[in-house]
Amino acid sequence: MGTTSRYRAARMIAAIGVASLVAACAGNGGTAGGGSTGGGGAGGYPDQNITFIVPFSAGGPTDTVTRMIAEPMAAKLGAKIVVRNVEGAGGTVGAGEVARAKPDGYTVLMHHIGMSTAPALYKDLGYKPLEDFEMVGLVTEVPMTVVARKDFEPKTLQELVTYVKANAGKVTLANAGIGAASHLCGLLFQTAAGVKLQEVPYEGTGPALTDLVGGQVDFMCDQTTNTSGQISANEVKAYAVTTPDRVKSLPDLPTTTEAGLPQLQVSVWHGLYVPKGTPQGDIQKLSEALKVALADPGVIDRMAKLGTAPVPAGDATPQALRTKLEEQLGTWAKVIADAGVKAS
């Protein structure tokens, strides 16, 4: 055998060895490295790792939701999914990175309601949500809750509205920073209640909720994925959930409509995006994998424990996400403009 033939044979043996190793990992539901799940792909898209960008910190609600769906999506796609956190500027740093990424289906963005508020909050955003991304599908809509320090005087949501109107100068409303879901919900609360309050921004939900439990601030509005534990443990006073229906994990907590403030309706919806120009066939595969993940019993159970649920299969589609984004861009542009809020 000549030198060239021996070289080709060696390459074939190496390729077979790698393919066998990948198949073995896939068969074991293999995970490789701290943030990756799934096994290697074979033929066509995907044939390499897929990176999911989370534009917020590890351990936060968006990161939690992403990691919930990554494993079943990876199994359906036959490729590893690596979750990478790219924090900064209310999620705009990570979103901008995906907008500029190569449109080959291997860079995917998980973003929440902030995708619809960023254009109104930031003067120089650097990307346009409807023009610089292709949609994959909606993932979940997380309810918000209105909660207060345990010894706060108002006992009901209606009493809270009356109290903050009478004490607007001294009541403190906490949030996780400009553009955060808690900040947006707080803006809606003030609009619905017809009052302007002293807001206390924190660098994340964790420290804000810690100070609320400790009694350093009066009340806040945040996702059930963050507040369910404190509510169940009776560490905070809970007034209402901001969705049309009650949350199964918090059955005694009334909706804002039931509690007398129907104008306060908001949920933190999450969606998957890829860069503009990504092949439609790749987007379709991602969307189908998303549907499989959202139907996974383990995902459904884990979401339920956090007070949320996967969207119906009909919403895990590109068109459903585009429709949602278009509607929300208009809604939040007005709310943010009326509030006179701008991010630096």
Side-chain angles (χ1 to χ4, degrees):
M1 183 183 296
T3 301
T4 301
S5 298
R6 286 196 299 270
Y7 174 70
R8 288 176 178 169
R11 289 187 64 185
M12 289 177 63
I13 291 169
I16 291 169
V18 171
S20 298
L21 177 59
V22 170
C25 290
N28 290 321
T31 55
S36 63
T37 60
Y45 173 82
D47 60 5
Q48 64 187 61
N49 292 355
I50 299 172
T51 298
F52 275 24
I53 299 293
V54 176
F56 305 102
S57 61
T62 302
D63 180 72
T64 298
V65 170
T66 305
R67 293 176 191 274
M68 277 185 192
I69 67 169
E71 186 170 354
M73 283 190 69
K76 172 64 176 175
L77 291 164
K80 292 178 183 177
I81 292 178
V82 179
V83 179
R84 187 160 66 89
N85 300 88
V86 182
E87 307 169 44
T92 62
V93 174
E97 180 175 318
V98 176
R100 296 185 297 272
K102 184 178 180 181
D104 55 8
Y106 292 102
T107 305
V108 181
L109 172 70
M110 170 74 90
H111 209 337
H112 65 21
I113 191 172
M115 193 67 145
S116 63
T117 61
L121 285 170
Y122 293 87
K123 182 178 180 180
D124 299 312
L125 188 56
Y127 60 85
K128 297 180 179 179
L130 289 173
E131 297 178 22
D132 295 331
F133 295 91
E134 305 278 3
M135 319 298 158
V136 175
L138 283 162
V139 178
T140 185
E141 295 204 31
V142 182
M144 304 287 285
T145 52
V146 182
V147 293
R149 55 182 169 84
K150 193 174 178 180
D151 59 350
F152 200 36
E153 290 86 340
K155 295 181 174 62
T156 67
L157 187 61
Q158 287 184 320
E159 287 185 13
L160 175 64
V161 172
T162 300
Y163 184 89
V164 299
K165 284 183 174 180
N167 298 276
K170 64 179 183 179
V171 173
T172 51
L173 172 62
N175 64 55
I178 291 179
S182 54
H183 173 236
L184 300 171
C185 184
L187 291 180
L188 277 185
F189 174 86
Q190 293 175 81
T191 298
V195 64
K196 180 64 177 176
L197 299 174
Q198 178 185 347
E199 297 184 63
V200 183
Y202 288 79
E203 292 186 359
T205 297
L209 199 54
T210 296
D211 273 9
L212 185 73
V213 172
Q216 280 75 50
V217 287
D218 293 323
F219 80 111
M220 69 181 294
C221 183
D222 204 14
Q223 302 174 61
T224 55
T225 45
N226 292 328
T227 61
S228 291
Q230 284 77 9
I231 293 172
S232 298
N234 198 33
E235 294 177 345
V236 296
K237 181 177 290 185
Y239 294 110
V241 61
T242 64
T243 46
D245 301 312
R246 293 195 180 196
V247 175
K248 290 182 180 180
S249 62
L250 301 167
D252 297 328
L253 190 62
T255 67
T256 48
T257 298
E258 292 171 332
L261 196 65
Q263 307 95 315
L264 182 56
Q265 293 280 321
V266 60
S267 61
V268 183
W269 50 275
H270 292 76
L272 289 180
Y273 306 81
V274 289
K276 186 72 174 180
T278 299
Q280 289 301 309
D282 298 353
I283 295 171
Q284 184 62 31
K285 286 185 178 182
L286 286 167
S287 184
E288 290 303 319
L290 174 61
K291 291 175 185 176
V292 169
L294 297 182
D296 184 276
V299 172
I300 294 171
D301 181 62
R302 290 173 67 190
M303 284 192 179
K305 290 176 180 177
L306 294 174
T308 186
V311 299
D315 287 341
T317 64
Q319 186 53 54
L321 177 54
R322 179 169 291 276
T323 298
K324 182 74 171 183
L325 181 58
E326 288 174 343
E327 180 265 323
Q328 290 280 287
L329 282 165
T331 296
W332 288 107
K334 184 178 187 309
V335 170
I336 292 169
D338 289 349
V341 178
K342 283 291 181 184
S344 57

